[in-house]
Amino acid sequence: MAPAKAPEDDPITASYDVYLTPSQQEQLYLLQYLNRSRDRPYSQHYGARPTDLRIKPKSGYLELEVSLSTELNFNKYQGLKWGDALQTARTIQNEGATYGPAAGLGAPRRGLGSRGPLKDKADRELQISNDLTEFKRAEEEGKVMHKQTLGGQIMRHEDAAAGQALPVYYLGAFQGDQLHLSRVDGTIQMRPQFHHIDAEEHRNRLVTKKALDAEGDARPPPAARGLQQSYKPETEDKDKDAPERKMRKALQDAEEEIWVPLDYVDEAEDTAYDAFNEKMFLHNVDNAPKLKSTMDEEQLLDAVSGPSYEGSGRKKRRPRKRRGGQVGDEGLEEEEEAVVAAGEALPAEEVIGAVDDEDAMDGVVATA
């Protein structure tokens, strides 16, 4: 006999009507802070409100800066030292003082020119010592690195429908018994950026080179050599899709693109609530078109299931045909009973295709 079915222990407690909001003209990104606990987000309420936000939309990089408290657990000397390094980087390299992939992994490209002299080690230490005595004034003048930079590369999702294994995320907003879903355009994993360390290293190189030039100990210029130019035509299309060429092109685009500043709105401000109510809901739900699936239940299970291998599972149950036409499940069972009563054996393939899991389990129990 068949085992008794267990009572349903997972009843439905609520049901919602699901709506898809129209695509936004603005880009909707999901920022993930991997090095920050969930119970302490970056917001004004927890004293960690982001102040500056910038993006490179073409190359796909995003950075934001969070203010740090200089009153508690703050190394004032290192803050002044790294602040001077970042000021030098803004003067020499770029206004954003960024390094790494977001800057194309490029070294400083511009010289000092008329932007002011570069202090040597002794003058720099003297300046830092003077600023330590008047730390508040130095902080107001922007000489202290009192911000933490977080950044990452945008992983866009618009190619997910083209067959690539990219994630597809939706943001959900509840309104009564309605669930409104808005598609996310991209995901960014925000990690700490150490631009101040790179800026300090570049500054030390410049100071060393300046000292060698002043003492006359610079290396002699290389001997003149003949230069022969050659051109290699790109005849093979596969060279254009080489990973090295794509990486070189991506770094070049990141180096040439300038940062676009953005305005950051804290989650507790009225502007954030207004944007949430305006963008995250489908207001005209009465005239919303209904989605119709193009798959039946079997096609849906095949689409969401893992890959199937030939001969690794039981065959699908299929109805048998007779001369009179199609036979359903009930007709199939009656025909099988008639064949067994007559003493005829069914082929192995038909038996596997006709017996489901419950019937097979009942037979095993009865036989035992």
Side-chain angles (χ1 to χ4, degrees), residues 186-243:
T187 307
I188 312 170
Q189 294 184 349
M190 307 293 288
R191 293 182 172 87
Q193 305 295 309
F194 302 98
H195 297 319
H196 54 285
I197 303 296
D198 295 331
E200 178 69 17
E201 181 182 356
H202 280 293
R203 189 191 183 284
N204 294 336
R205 292 179 183 177
L206 292 175
V207 172
T208 303
K209 183 178 182 302
K210 180 182 177 181
L212 293 177
D213 293 342
E215 296 176 0
D217 295 336
R219 296 181 180 179
R225 300 176 60 183
L227 178 62
Q228 182 179 1
Q229 297 182 353
S230 60
Y231 175 74
K232 182 180 179 180
E234 297 181 358
T235 56
E236 299 183 1
D237 294 337
K238 63 180 181 180
D239 294 340
K240 299 180 181 179
D241 298 331

Side-chain angles (χ1 to χ4, degrees), residues 13 55 75 77 99 114 126 129 159 174 184 204 251 281 283 285 312-313 316 335 346 358:
T13 59
I55 187 175
N75 191 325
Y77 175 81
Y99 293 84
S114 60
L126 179 60
S129 299
D159 295 334
F174 288 94
V184 177
N204 294 336
L251 292 176
F281 294 97
H283 300 285
V285 296
S312 61
K316 298 180 181 179
E335 183 180 358
L346 289 175
E358 263 190 10

Side-chain angles (χ1 to χ4, degrees), residues 282-359:
L282 182 65
H283 300 285
N284 190 8
V285 296
D286 296 333
N287 297 328
K290 294 184 178 181
L291 296 179
K292 295 182 179 180
S293 177
T294 58
M295 299 182 179
D296 55 18
E297 295 180 358
E298 186 174 347
Q299 292 174 342
L300 178 61
L301 290 177
D302 292 340
V304 301
S305 301
S308 58
Y309 301 95
E310 184 176 358
S312 61
R314 67 184 183 91
K315 296 184 178 180
K316 298 180 181 179
R317 182 174 182 175
R318 61 185 186 276
R320 300 177 59 188
K321 294 184 179 180
R322 293 189 299 186
R323 294 180 180 179
Q326 190 77 13
V327 179
D329 291 343
E330 296 180 356
L332 180 62
E333 293 177 359
E334 295 176 358
E335 183 180 358
E336 290 169 357
E337 292 176 358
V339 172
V340 174
E344 299 179 5
L346 289 175
E349 294 183 358
E350 299 299 335
V351 171
I352 295 177
V355 180
D356 56 9
D357 293 341
E358 263 190 10
D359 296 338

